[in-house]
Amino acid sequence: MGEHRNISNAVIKRLPRYYRHLGELIEMGTERISSGELSKRMNVTASQIRQDLNNFGGFGQQGYGYNVKFLYDEIGKILGLDREYQMVIIGAGNLGRAIANYTNFEKSGFVISGIFDINPECIGQSIRGVPVRNMTELETFASNNKIDIAAITVPKSAAVEVADRLVKLGVKAFWNFAHVDLNVPEDVIVESVHLSENLMRISYNLSKSEDERGRRHYGKEKAGKRI
Ligand code: NAD
């Protein structure tokens, strides 16, 4: 991994998309692909693809293209997908259950090893074979099981306290769905998913394009009046 240290964040952000497309190509039985073909498929320029993939010592060969499986495996290694991660879900409500019920995370190596809640009504239930445990069992669970990632799906009023407790137990990565910033030490990774912020970007772009359509329409009307 040392040789990949200097890859820019912009490239790292694009890697999951390469990984997904290459996975689809493997499923289709494609063994090799040129940067031009990959470019059409992914709707990015071929030079961007060559530049991105050159970061890893250039898997492409002149006149041959990229070996799809090799590239897929290498990108998988860079993304750390060549190992398993033990993930706990804190909060077995709507979102926590949806995540627990989604089987594809497990296929990528994210194994849900524990689900926790404070609500007596859901404690003891089982979601895809994983029991919902009482939060009072968290410390014991953490001393017997490694927790690589914690998904935080509790109300925002509880999220900071829950994260603090998990940090004390040595958890180094959070997948945070609560609409609140977690105060964690620098060496702890937080990936926040704020679904309503995504929706606000959609509403911004929708209203922007409606404004533009309105302006074009208004412009035509004005032009029409002049004639
Ligand atoms: P929910 O109310 O259905 O579930 C929250 C669960 O957390 C409940 O089961 C509750 O008992 C549990 N809980 C409360 N305090 C706890 C604590 N201290 N420790 C452990 N468990 C605790 O809520 P939801 O809809 O699943 O949303 C969860 C979080 O995700 C919220 O912060 C919400 O804002 C955010 N979110 C949800 C959605 C969504 O579509 N459901 C969308 C965007 C963001």
Side-chain angles (χ1 to χ4, degrees):
M1 282 302 281
E3 78 226 60
H4 303 128
R5 252 198 323 254
N6 296 324
I7 301 172
S8 75
N9 275 342
V11 176
I12 298 288
K13 268 196 177 162
R14 289 195 284 270
L15 289 186
R17 188 151 179 262
Y18 284 114
Y19 191 72
R20 174 165 58 81
H21 278 275
L22 291 163
E24 285 167 12
L25 287 165
I26 291 172
E27 273 172 24
M28 286 158 51
T30 311
E31 283 175 17
R32 61 171 90 165
I33 191 159
S34 67
S35 46
E37 286 166 315
L38 197 54
S39 140
K40 270 190 222 129
R41 189 186 161 87
M42 294 183 59
N43 202 17
V44 282
T45 64
S47 75
Q48 166 99 78
I49 287 181
R50 281 193 296 271
Q51 252 178 43
D52 281 351
L53 301 182
N54 269 346
N55 277 290
F56 320 119
F59 303 125
Q61 277 171 34
Q62 201 71 40
Y64 174 91
Y66 297 101
N67 178 319
V68 173
K69 178 76 173 71
F70 179 73
L71 194 50
Y72 178 80
D73 289 344
E74 286 302 305
I75 292 181
K77 275 186 222 160
I78 292 159
L79 290 174
L81 295 172
D82 54 342
R83 53 163 283 203
E84 264 188 11
Y85 297 90
Q86 304 299 316
M87 179 158 81
V88 295
I89 297 175
I90 313 291
N94 291 308
L95 199 52
R97 278 167 198 272
I99 292 171
N101 276 313
Y102 187 63
T103 51
N104 271 4
F105 297 137
E106 234 136 79
K107 287 187 200 141
S108 314
F110 301 94
V111 179
I112 292 157
S113 54
I115 307 174
F116 291 85
D117 207 292
I118 50 165
N119 181 352
E121 275 176 31
C122 62
I123 292 165
Q125 286 179 359
S126 165
I127 306 172
R128 278 206 308 117
V130 183
V132 178
R133 293 184 161 85
N134 194 327
M135 275 300 273
T136 54
E137 292 174 39
L138 186 64
E139 279 70 18
T140 316
F141 180 90
S143 60
N144 295 325
N145 301 273
K146 192 170 184 307
I147 303 176
D148 296 305
I149 307 169
I152 304 286
T153 51
V154 296
K156 79 175 188 186
S157 55
V160 172
E161 198 189 315
V162 160
D164 285 351
R165 201 163 149 192
L166 287 153
V167 165
K168 284 199 188 100
L169 294 173
V171 176
K172 293 281 184 225
F174 288 89
W175 195 17
N176 173 36
F177 290 87
H179 293 157
V180 65
D181 296 328
L182 303 180
N183 266 329
V184 295
E186 242 177 47
D187 64 333
V188 173
I189 298 156
V190 178
E191 189 66 43
S192 289
V193 184
H194 295 328
L195 295 176
S196 36
E197 287 178 14
N198 292 166
L199 271 181
M200 284 175 206
R201 274 194 286 279
I202 292 179
S203 66
Y204 166 75
N205 283 312
L206 264 181
S207 53
K208 195 173 74 171
S209 60
E210 275 163 17
D211 276 357
E212 274 160 14
R213 272 200 298 275
R215 266 200 302 280
R216 273 203 300 276
H217 179 69
Y218 179 66
K220 270 187 202 149
E221 271 191 347
K222 266 176 78 177
K225 272 183 195 145
R226 253 186 267 132
I227 294 167

